[in-house]
Amino acid sequence: MPDRRRPGEVRDAIRDYLRTVKREASVDEIQTAVTERLGNVPASSVRSSLRLSDLFSQTARGRYRLSGR
């Protein structure tokens, strides 16, 4: 059975990474940071969190930043 994450855990790891780097980042950079923090996380979970959360804005294909909310 695959490891289950707490709701919002991947989203929070992405948010914390983008706050730390203070710039836009590629999906690959974000995936690496999330994996370093949480262990093995499917790329699909990272991509879904980026698309579905209003915390993040897509700046270009495959690049995201924190929204200016």
Side-chain angles (χ1 to χ4, degrees), residues 15-39:
R15 181 201 59 214
D16 293 347
Y17 172 69
L18 290 173
R19 279 184 179 162
T20 300
V21 298
K22 299 178 182 171
R23 60 171 173 79
E24 71 177 38
S26 70
V27 173
D28 288 340
E29 290 173 297
I30 295 167
Q31 175 70 41
T32 298
V34 170
T35 298
E36 287 173 0
R37 178 173 170 171
L38 301 178

Side-chain angles (χ1 to χ4, degrees), residues 23-60:
R23 60 171 173 79
E24 71 177 38
S26 70
V27 173
D28 288 340
E29 290 173 297
I30 295 167
Q31 175 70 41
T32 298
V34 170
T35 298
E36 287 173 0
R37 178 173 170 171
L38 301 178
N40 189 29
V41 175
S44 60
S45 294
V46 172
R47 288 190 311 270
S48 291
S49 292
L50 287 165
R51 276 193 325 273
L52 297 175
S53 176
D54 63 353
L55 291 174
F56 315 115
S57 297
Q58 186 174 20
T59 59

